Amino acid sequence: GLSDFRIEASLSRAAATSRVEQLASLDLEIESDGDPVADASLETELDLATLAPEIGDDISIVSVVSDEWIGPDGPREPVRSEARRFKVVSEVELIEQLQGGLGSIRRSAIRLEGDQAELADRVRQEGADREATRSQDRIGDRIEAARSALEAVDSRRRENRIEDELLADVLDQAENLIEAAAAAEDRALAALDAATAARDRAADPQLGDAERMAAEADAEDAEREAVEAQQEVQDELTDLAATLDRGEDAWVVSRQIERLAEDLAELQERTGDLAERTMGRDRDELTSEERRELDDVVRDQSDLADRAEELIDDLEDRAEAMETAAPSEADGLRQAAEEARQEGLEEEMREA
């Protein structure tokens, strides 16, 4: 029977295990018939914050089980489960990983749209048959796989409590579009099934001319419905790819702004520190190291001003390019550029 059952978490920092903590244990009591416990389960919720992790830490979760058997050499070693591992990353790095997942979904949507277009053309030219129905069914399976991948990205965002409004909006739009694509695919598959069945009836040699003509008419009607639904699938997948593309585009701009702000804060700190150390002295009174540091700060300020100017111009260019396809996103980018100009972001850096 079991003698010990517990769940442990170990935190590793700089490749060295710095902390091991027991998360939960199970009181193993003798069963009512007097036999020791041979089968048990243990569940617990883990709040990683209790381990006080830092970015870069590795956390491993394992269950440890011991039994009561004692041999000639003593008790057996406890059995440890395969570790469930977590890597502590920054919010920015996690969002980059989520964006990578969305990029993969976008590429899948593009391939799916192309395959759906090819199948629709085939149905238009050759009519429905069982192979076309099977191909449509496979497209449906791939759409479901893409939807599952999208849900996994959103689930990971929620589990990690990422409060990124832009990412949340993109995910919400993408989920609506892929649900619409799945619904249209269901209609296309049902119509192809009906068209194939009608074609089979029309090929029955025992049918009279009138019945055969009616079956052929039914097949043609179902094929038109199938092609219309397939076109809807294409449209939804095209919009999905465009939404994920715009979301990534907007996120890239957002990250550029964040990095610019981070670099500006770091540069201001360096400038303030240098000013305190050199206050009241002319350049020719500075040491060679101080003059080199001053030159570095001036160069970095100029580079940062150039980056700010390029970013503002880029915002305006992106807004113009998105005006027709995504007017609301274009307005947002244009407003961001205008606010940056009004606040004198680039001029402030050059004056610094």
Side-chain angles (χ1 to χ4, degrees):
L2 302 179
S3 62
D4 183 37
F5 188 9
R6 63 187 186 275
I7 298 177
E8 293 181 347
S10 61
L11 185 147
S12 300
R13 184 169 297 161
T17 301
S18 60
R19 182 176 178 181
V20 178
E21 183 170 317
Q22 180 172 299
L23 304 178
S25 62
L26 191 65
D27 292 330
L28 298 171
E29 300 177 352
I30 300 297
E31 295 184 353
S32 57
D33 58 6
D35 293 331
V37 175
D39 187 14
S41 62
L42 178 59
E43 295 183 7
T44 187
E45 291 187 3
L46 169 62
D47 184 355
L48 294 179
T50 61
L51 299 175
E54 296 179 0
I55 293 173
D57 288 351
D58 292 295
I59 298 173
S60 298
I61 310 295
V62 297
S63 60
V64 184
V65 180
S66 302
D67 63 21
E68 297 179 331
W69 187 85
I70 299 177
D73 298 326
R76 283 190 289 210
E77 289 292 322
V79 177
R80 304 176 71 87
S81 69
E82 184 176 347
R84 175 84 180 273
R85 303 185 186 279
F86 300 89
K87 180 75 173 181
V88 182
V89 299
S90 67
E91 180 171 316
V92 169
E93 185 177 350
L94 178 58
I95 293 178
E96 288 177 346
Q97 293 176 8
L98 298 180
Q99 284 290 348
L102 293 181
S104 177
I105 295 169
R106 175 180 172 272
R107 291 188 292 274
S108 294
I110 292 172
R111 289 192 295 269
L112 273 167
E113 191 279 333
D115 292 344
Q116 182 66 94
E118 183 178 340
L119 181 57
D121 287 341
R122 179 178 152 200
V123 173
R124 287 191 192 96
Q125 296 171 11
E126 303 175 9
D129 55 26
R130 298 194 185 283
E131 179 55 34
T133 303
R134 285 193 292 269
S135 296
Q136 187 63 57
D137 194 27
R138 286 192 290 269
I139 287 176
D141 290 341
R142 291 165 59 194
I143 290 175
E144 284 302 315
R147 177 155 60 177
S148 296
L150 193 61
E151 290 173 350
V153 170
D154 194 31
S155 176
R156 192 177 178 200
R157 177 188 69 86
R158 295 176 186 275
E159 288 173 356
N160 287 276
R161 301 171 187 173
I162 299 297
E163 301 299 331
D164 186 292
E165 185 176 348
L166 174 61
L167 180 59
D169 287 345
V170 168
L171 283 167
D172 186 54
Q173 293 176 39
E175 287 173 356
N176 290 335
L177 288 167
I178 205 164
E179 285 177 7
E185 192 283 325
D186 285 342
R187 293 195 300 274
L189 182 60
L192 285 174
D193 273 333
T196 301
R199 289 292 179 195
D200 288 344
R201 289 198 309 274
D204 186 349
Q206 297 182 353
L207 286 184
D209 291 342
E211 293 174 316
R212 183 176 298 106
M213 291 177 62
E216 290 175 350
D218 290 342
E220 291 173 359
D221 289 342
E223 286 166 356
R224 278 193 294 271
E225 291 177 12
V227 170
E228 289 174 2
Q230 289 171 326
Q231 183 61 57
E232 287 185 46
V233 175
Q234 291 175 241
D235 292 343
E236 300 296 348
L237 291 172
T238 298
D239 288 346
L240 173 62
T243 295
L244 295 177
D245 189 33
R246 288 196 300 269
E248 183 176 5
D249 202 43
W251 181 82
V252 168
V253 171
S254 175
R255 278 299 299 137
Q256 287 175 334
I257 294 173
E258 289 177 8
R259 285 172 178 158
L260 200 64
E262 291 167 1
D263 291 346
L264 176 59
E266 188 269 339
L267 186 57
Q268 288 174 333
E269 183 177 351
R270 285 170 53 200
T271 303
D273 178 64
L274 181 62
E276 288 182 6
R277 289 188 283 112
T278 60
M279 186 178 298
R281 288 187 286 163
D282 293 332
R283 180 180 175 86
D284 56 5
E285 296 177 302
L286 303 179
T287 67
S288 59
E289 177 65 22
E290 288 171 337
R291 285 196 297 272
R292 183 195 62 76
E293 189 174 352
L294 177 61
D295 291 340
D296 287 345
V297 167
V298 171
R299 184 189 66 250
D300 290 347
Q301 287 173 340
S302 177
D303 290 344
L304 206 57
D306 290 340
R307 284 172 54 195
E309 184 175 17
E310 290 174 3
L311 178 58
I312 292 171
D313 291 341
D314 188 38
L315 287 171
E316 293 174 337
D317 290 343
R318 290 171 187 260
E320 183 177 353
M322 295 170 64
E323 185 64 46
T324 302
S328 59
E329 287 89 343
D331 287 342
L333 292 176
R334 192 175 293 107
Q335 182 178 355
E338 182 62 26
E339 289 176 357
R341 287 199 185 281
Q342 289 178 354
E343 291 174 5
L345 180 62
E346 179 261 340
E347 289 83 354
E348 179 182 343
M349 292 182 187
R350 292 198 187 280
E351 290 173 2

